[in-house]
Amino acid sequence: MIFRHTNRYVFRVWSRCIQCAAPSRRPRTREISASYSTLPGQEDSPKETPSGQPLRIQQRFQRGDSLTWTTMSLDPSSSPRGHGTPRWSISRRVVEVHGGSERQPSFATSDLPAAPRSSLFQYCLSQVRDKLVIAFLPKGYPHSVTADYKPYTIYSFLHSVTGTVTGTLSTQALLHALGMGAAVAAGLAATTNWIIKDGFGLLGGVIYAGVTANRFDSSPKRYRFLSAAAIQVATFVEILTPMVPHLFLPLASISNVCKNIGWIATSATKASMHKAFTREDNLGDVTAKAGAQATAAGLLGTSSGILLSYFIGSEPSHLLLAFAPLCAINMWFAYCANEAFITRTINLERAELLFAGSARHLADEYCRNPHATMQQQHLKHISVPSPAEVSSREQFIFQYRSVFAIPIALEPSLPRRLESIQQHTWNEFVTGEIFGPGRSTERYRLLMIPAGKKGTIDSWKTVLAPGKLPHDPHVCCWFTVDATTLDTLKGFYHACILRALLEQASKSGQELTEESAVRYIQVTYNIASSTFDEVVQALRSSGWFIDHTHLGDRNARLRLSE
């Protein structure tokens, strides 16, 4: 054991020494091409590397508080002139993680209406209304929030009321199942069961939060609706407990797990939603008023639930009859609240909906006239859909299906795909010349990778068929460790244009090889570089948040050798 820890310590010290001795990367320079005519073909030889100095690349994977760096290198002497079977070298090491950020809020002034002087009653009514606005709505409402804040708040309030009513019914069913008027021994057993079920619920919530990670920020509507469904499932299970009292502990534990999942998802998604509502950096005010609205909805729902219980009694069958319509209404309000909310951040689904139209248009224009310049094809005015248009098409109930026929993999495991890469492609991939000569400063990388029938990665030779695309090919996109938000946007935008052009090639029956795939990457790079500035301006003018995206959430970045 001591020898193992000593080796680990020596390995960490040696790794840090190597990292400190590594040369720093050169600053990035932007190169925009005014034309995207066809680049030199596959007859051009790849960049030669000095003998005995193979090109290396590293990919990181975050696991908890540590990063696992995988170093990959290709021995040039194993495959003369880029042909034959290459020999790969793979090694892994673990390093520490550091990070953190902080933001400061500010306050905005409100502009409440003046009190009318026509009558004492109207004056009092106006004062009451103003007090309610101050108590339950953000300061400066409606100017301090976006237009979708009002319908979302109304539906969320009604959703909370109905949810509290069903929760009251389930609590009554639980107390009936435990037999509150039984002997002391039965009361002690009931207390023990109650504590155990709470423990299972907390454990399930912790596991769920760890597995879901940062998906709450990238897909708030999906997980907000999932939280509503989880809470209603928990309520339904609790109402069933009086029918099978001997199964109280497992049923109550399942119910508590679902409740904790719902509460965690609700609190996590509300944070990102409230941030999207703000216009004057008043996130704290919006959050505080949301808490006041939830408290008022809880009081109203509890009162309504007690009143309903007084009329229907505590029979499980009566509770189920009352629960069914209330559950349907509750889920409908949750759906309406999500429909009213407009997501302004960019994740994979919304990015595809953003770029699909422009990518297909650019691919069609290129296929019509491959040698035309941007000015000749009148493609300077790039438009993207608004956040409201994309939100109306966003899926948050069922699984999202890509709008492209060619799938994409963001920051996948590079070691698993090494067998599909030949030496000359590897050299161009590491140096950046896969985008063309002089493109080594780009902070992202693209590759076209064929896949096997059962999801395994195959080589190009085993899957190629004349006139057809390889079986289940996909575009892989990686970002470097120093990539900015604009770099991730450009890489994904480039990948969308590449997928659109590959769709055109598939329809026209063109044969796709590894060499032709590299040419497609080079051609689409020129298209993306020529139009990306217009895309960024269109995104900003449409109201999208591009200071941060969720395209690189996997955090499996690459470190390239010099």
Side-chain angles (χ1 to χ4, degrees):
M1 182 65 68
I2 297 176
F3 180 76
R4 181 184 303 174
H5 286 289
T6 304
N7 285 345
R8 185 177 302 173
Y9 176 78
V10 173
F11 181 76
R12 287 186 178 180
V13 173
W14 176 251
S15 300
R16 291 191 177 184
C17 292
I18 294 177
Q19 185 176 0
C20 293
S24 58
R25 290 186 57 84
R26 293 170 295 178
R28 180 194 181 208
T29 58
R30 179 180 292 249
E31 299 183 13
I32 302 297
S33 174
S35 171
Y36 52 81
S37 58
T38 306
L39 295 176
Q42 63 190 45
E43 63 274 7
D44 291 347
S45 59
K47 182 179 179 180
E48 297 293 334
T49 58
S51 177
Q53 298 181 1
L55 291 174
R56 293 183 177 89
I57 192 169
Q58 293 178 322
Q59 185 176 22
R60 72 184 184 192
F61 297 94
Q62 186 169 355
R63 297 291 185 270
D65 294 334
S66 64
L67 286 177
T68 301
W69 284 96
T70 303
T71 303
M72 295 152 281
S73 62
L74 175 64
D75 186 2
S77 61
S78 66
S79 177
R81 305 186 61 85
H83 301 285
T85 304
R87 184 167 62 243
W88 299 98
S89 174
I90 302 176
S91 61
R92 291 178 175 85
R93 65 186 179 93
V94 180
V95 296
E96 296 178 354
V97 179
H98 302 280
S101 60
E102 185 177 355
R103 299 178 61 184
Q104 285 186 346
S106 64
F107 298 92
T109 58
S110 61
D111 186 16
L112 298 176
R117 301 180 180 178
S118 56
S119 65
L120 180 62
F121 174 77
Q122 291 182 354
Y123 173 77
C124 294
L125 184 64
S126 175
Q127 288 295 311
V128 171
R129 189 182 70 86
D130 292 346
K131 297 297 183 183
L132 292 175
V133 169
I134 295 175
F136 292 102
L137 296 177
K139 198 172 184 178
Y141 176 84
H143 307 291
S144 61
V145 294
T146 54
D148 54 327
Y149 175 81
K150 180 179 179 180
Y152 171 83
T153 301
I154 293 174
Y155 286 122
S156 293
F157 182 86
L158 297 175
H159 164 71
S160 299
V161 171
T162 54
T164 307
V165 173
T166 58
T168 304
L169 298 178
S170 65
T171 302
Q172 182 179 355
L174 286 176
L175 295 177
H176 183 272
L178 287 175
M180 296 306 294
V184 178
L188 181 60
T191 303
T192 304
N193 288 339
W194 201 278
I195 295 175
I196 293 176
K197 78 173 181 64
D198 287 344
F200 276 113
L202 294 175
L203 180 61
V206 170
I207 295 175
Y208 175 75
V211 171
T212 308
N214 57 358
R215 299 179 206 168
F216 296 122
D217 294 320
S218 62
S219 304
K221 296 170 73 171
R222 178 180 299 278
Y223 288 95
R224 179 71 177 88
F225 191 81
L226 176 63
S227 69
I231 291 176
Q232 290 306 307
V233 169
T235 305
F236 175 71
V237 173
E238 287 182 347
I239 293 179
L240 291 179
T241 52
M243 300 180 181
V244 281
H246 59 284
L247 297 178
F248 171 82
L249 184 58
L251 291 180
S253 299
I254 294 173
S255 173
N256 258 30
V257 170
C258 293
K259 277 188 176 181
N260 277 274
I261 289 175
W263 291 335
I264 289 175
T266 298
S267 60
T269 54
K270 277 186 176 180
S272 59
M273 287 181 167
H274 294 164
K275 182 180 178 181
F277 289 135
T278 59
R279 282 182 175 173
E280 301 175 358
D281 200 13
N282 53 344
L283 177 59
D285 191 18
V286 172
T287 304
K289 297 310 184 294
Q293 296 163 7
T295 301
L299 291 174
L300 181 59
T302 302
S303 303
S304 303
I306 293 174
L307 183 62
L308 182 61
S309 299
Y310 177 78
F311 287 103
I312 66 176
S314 59
E315 286 295 326
S317 58
H318 296 169
L319 295 177
L320 281 175
L321 289 177
F323 168 79
L326 288 172
C327 177
I329 295 174
N330 179 266
M331 294 305 299
W332 170 250
F333 286 144
Y335 175 83
C336 293
N338 276 356
E339 281 289 313
F341 175 69
I342 298 176
T343 311
R344 294 170 176 83
T345 56
I346 298 177
N347 64 355
L348 190 148
E349 175 183 354
R350 291 186 286 275
E352 285 193 347
L353 296 176
L354 272 173
F355 299 144
S358 298
R360 289 197 171 99
H361 176 63
L362 293 169
D364 291 341
E365 291 293 336
Y366 172 78
C367 292
R368 292 193 188 99
N369 193 353
H371 300 280
T373 62
M374 293 294 301
Q375 291 77 9
Q376 291 174 339
Q377 294 187 354
H378 307 287
L379 297 177
K380 272 294 181 182
H381 300 287
I382 302 296
S383 61
V384 296
S386 65
E389 294 173 343
V390 173
S391 289
S392 63
R393 301 172 56 191
E394 187 178 359
Q395 291 284 345
F396 59 87
I397 298 179
F398 303 105
Q399 187 67 28
Y400 169 70
R401 299 184 62 180
S402 177
V403 295
F404 290 96
I406 307 296
I408 187 173
L410 288 179
E411 297 185 312
S413 174
L414 184 56
R416 293 185 61 246
R417 289 157 175 82
L418 293 179
E419 298 301 326
S420 300
I421 307 175
Q422 297 298 319
Q423 179 180 341
H424 62 280
T425 305
W426 173 259
N427 294 341
E428 295 175 353
F429 178 81
V430 177
T431 60
E433 293 195 357
I434 195 170
F435 300 135
R439 313 298 187 185
S440 60
T441 55
E442 289 297 342
R443 297 174 177 174
Y444 70 92
R445 294 292 185 269
L446 292 182
L447 274 182
M448 184 72 178
I449 301 293
K453 296 182 178 180
K454 297 183 179 179
T456 58
I457 308 301
D458 286 333
S459 63
W460 287 89
K461 296 180 180 179
T462 60
V463 296
L464 282 178
K468 296 182 180 180
L469 287 177
H471 182 80
D472 292 335
H474 59 280
V475 174
C476 297
C477 180
W478 292 274
F479 310 111
T480 62
V481 291
D482 54 350
T484 63
T485 301
L486 291 181
D487 293 320
T488 59
L489 273 176
K490 183 178 181 180
F492 192 86
Y493 176 62
H494 182 187
C496 288
I497 300 177
L498 174 61
R499 296 158 74 189
L501 193 59
L502 289 171
E503 289 177 358
Q504 294 290 337
S506 176
K507 293 177 182 178
S508 60
Q510 298 181 18
E511 182 180 356
L512 183 66
T513 62
E514 186 175 15
E515 289 76 13
S516 62
V518 172
R519 291 203 307 273
Y520 280 124
I521 291 175
Q522 294 175 352
V523 167
T524 52
Y525 172 81
N526 285 346
I527 301 176
S529 297
S530 301
T531 58
F532 183 65
D533 288 338
E534 293 289 332
V535 170
V536 172
Q537 294 177 6
L539 289 173
R540 288 195 171 117
S541 61
S542 299
W544 287 98
F545 295 161
I546 60 174
D547 294 335
H548 174 76
T549 69
H550 298 284
L551 298 175
D553 282 353
R554 193 165 184 265
N555 201 20
R557 300 298 177 93
L558 300 180
R559 178 182 292 160
L560 307 174
S561 63
E562 294 293 335

